[in-house]
Amino acid sequence: LKLEVKWWCQLSVFKLTYSLLWLREFPMTKRRRPPCDVTPLAKACAVSAEAFQRVTGVDPEAASVRAVPTVEEEVLRSRAFDALRAKLLKECGAGLAGGTTRYPSMAFERWWFSAQHGGRSIKSRGCTDPLLPGTARKDDSTLLADLRQVGFSEEEAQRIAKNLSTAAAVAASTLSGRRPRASRGVVTVEHTPSSDVELRSAGASVLLKARAFEKLRALYRQKCGATFEEAAFVVALRYQSLGGSGFHLALPTSAFEVLASEFGVLAECFASPLNCWQPRYCSAFPDCDVPFGSLGNFFDFHPTRGAFEVNPPFAPSVLARTRLHIHDLLAATKDALSFVVTVAHWDHEEVKAFRGSPFAPGRLV
């Protein structure tokens, strides 16, 4: 898989093409998931909060959460999300006696990204759950296109999309009504013979590489009404639930080092506590990521200067929203502001739109 890395600014564009030799697969079956691995943190210490604010115009301590979700709530959320994925598989014929499965590759993940990033903010769409897309459209264009592509008729595709949307709304509403509000769960930490770390609570478990667990401990710096073990369990289960494959590939450490030393990149705009290289980053789930250094959601991030690495998931709706947000930020500032954007080497209109940006008039190869 080839990726292009572009340096976006008001004057020039830097492009780097390289090949990735390894791709992490997240199974969609009930087999035991492999332990969550981790991108190592930068060896050099991050700049202080004061220096970061001076350089970027953003206070890194502004993002905060009163309390992360309880482990019981997150387990319920994870099970509901798994049930939605299973429903789409069943609607496409999976597991039916004598039936033919016509499941579009990564259709569930593409639908989720479309529901979460369909051109409006989560708040404006009335969403209250960070993972369950309770306001997904019944005629979601991304899902309909995927279903048609594998041979479903228009009527069948409309029925499947409507059923999935209805199920998502019910799941989000049900979780909201059952959400534990005060109790905190006890998390058991066990080091396995294979040097992994297993966290167990409320009848669920997540498996982390030992280095991933220690990275979370190093990042954890904000009190959030929970112990470190509880916060680590919640964040690990959230990303395990999201799963997916092929939507996001982290840059190698050597690339991050070049971006930091040569371009002054101070933060990542699409990362997580598990795959961030910079200790400061924007992420998809501020409700559980902020205690581990997240600056919040990228689309709520408004730097006026500085340099940032942008590696969005390879989903059209996310790419479109990312491009528009970057354009707005660059157009609004008079200071030196730049973005290093990583996109798939993909023949798609949204990738072409990045290449044709008015803020990228030149290219260095």
Side-chain angles (χ1 to χ4, degrees):
L1 175 64
K2 290 185 177 180
L3 302 179
E4 293 180 359
V5 181
K6 295 183 178 181
W7 179 37
W8 279 46
C9 67
Q10 294 175 329
L11 296 176
S12 60
V13 58
F14 167 75
K15 176 183 175 183
L16 168 67
T17 301
Y18 67 95
S19 296
L20 287 180
L21 303 179
W22 178 79
L23 176 63
R24 172 75 182 277
E25 292 289 341
F26 292 85
M28 294 180 63
T29 67
K30 291 186 178 180
R31 293 177 297 172
R32 184 182 181 88
R33 289 184 171 95
C36 294
D37 209 343
V38 67
T39 298
L41 276 174
K43 293 182 179 179
C45 294
V47 298
S48 67
E50 294 77 9
F52 186 89
Q53 184 171 5
R54 185 172 61 253
V55 172
T56 67
V58 175
D59 179 4
E61 307 298 333
S64 63
V65 291
R66 292 183 178 180
V68 298
T70 65
V71 293
E72 292 91 345
E73 176 187 340
E74 198 59 33
V75 169
L76 291 174
R77 176 177 289 113
S78 176
R79 289 171 179 167
F81 196 69
D82 286 346
L84 288 176
R85 180 184 280 112
K87 180 173 181 60
L88 180 57
L89 283 166
K90 185 177 180 180
E91 292 276 359
C92 292
L96 298 181
T100 301
T101 301
R102 290 181 290 172
Y103 179 75
S105 177
M106 295 186 290
F108 182 80
E109 289 79 11
R110 286 166 57 83
W111 167 76
W112 183 84
F113 279 117
S114 178
Q116 295 293 86
H117 299 279
R120 292 175 291 166
S121 69
I122 289 178
K123 291 181 180 179
S124 69
R125 287 185 282 117
C127 293
T128 58
D129 193 89
L131 185 64
L132 300 173
T135 58
R137 294 177 61 94
K138 295 182 179 181
D139 59 347
D140 183 86
S141 59
T142 297
L143 180 57
L144 290 176
D146 283 345
L147 293 170
R148 294 190 203 101
Q149 190 172 13
V150 295
F152 285 101
S153 68
E154 182 65 28
E155 182 179 356
E156 291 172 325
Q158 290 281 354
R159 175 184 57 78
I160 292 172
K162 180 180 179 180
N163 289 347
L164 188 60
S165 171
T166 300
V170 171
S173 176
T174 301
L175 178 61
S176 179
R178 296 176 59 186
R179 184 171 295 156
R181 299 189 181 279
S183 62
R184 311 299 313 187
V186 176
V187 176
T188 302
V189 180
E190 179 180 334
H191 294 266
T192 70
S194 57
S195 299
D196 298 326
V197 176
E198 185 171 21
L199 307 179
R200 296 195 302 271
S201 186
S205 66
V206 290
L207 198 62
L208 294 166
K209 290 290 188 182
R211 58 179 175 266
F213 186 66
E214 292 308 315
K215 178 183 179 181
L216 290 178
R217 190 186 297 279
L219 286 170
Y220 187 70
R221 60 173 181 262
Q222 183 182 110
K223 301 296 182 181
C224 55
T227 65
F228 161 71
E229 289 77 13
E230 290 173 294
F233 177 90
V234 168
V235 78
L237 183 58
R238 178 71 60 83
Y239 284 96
Q240 176 179 281
S241 300
L242 183 59
S245 62
F247 274 102
H248 186 280
L249 298 172
L251 295 176
T253 296
S254 57
F256 277 119
E257 290 173 343
V258 170
L259 296 179
S261 62
E262 301 298 325
F263 296 94
V265 167
L266 292 176
E268 300 168 60
C269 295
F270 288 90
S272 75
L274 292 171
N275 75 1
C276 66
W277 186 80
Q278 293 276 3
R280 292 194 173 93
Y281 56 92
C282 295
S283 63
F285 303 116
D287 66 312
C288 61
D289 294 344
V290 164
F292 297 95
S294 172
L295 298 167
N297 192 292
F298 173 60
F299 302 110
D300 296 321
F301 185 58
H302 298 279
T304 57
R305 51 190 178 271
F308 305 90
E309 187 264 357
V310 185
N311 183 5
F314 305 145
S317 55
V318 186
L319 293 175
R321 196 174 174 197
T322 299
R323 173 174 51 82
L324 294 175
H325 186 54
I326 290 176
H327 280 187
D328 289 344
L329 293 174
L330 291 173
T333 187
K334 295 181 180 179
D335 294 327
L337 176 64
S338 61
F339 296 90
V340 178
V341 179
T342 304
V343 293
H345 191 70
W346 184 22
D347 185 19
H348 191 279
E349 291 304 314
E350 285 304 329
V351 175
K352 294 177 183 177
F354 267 97
R355 293 171 180 157
S357 167
F359 292 99
R363 181 177 298 176
L364 298 176
V365 181

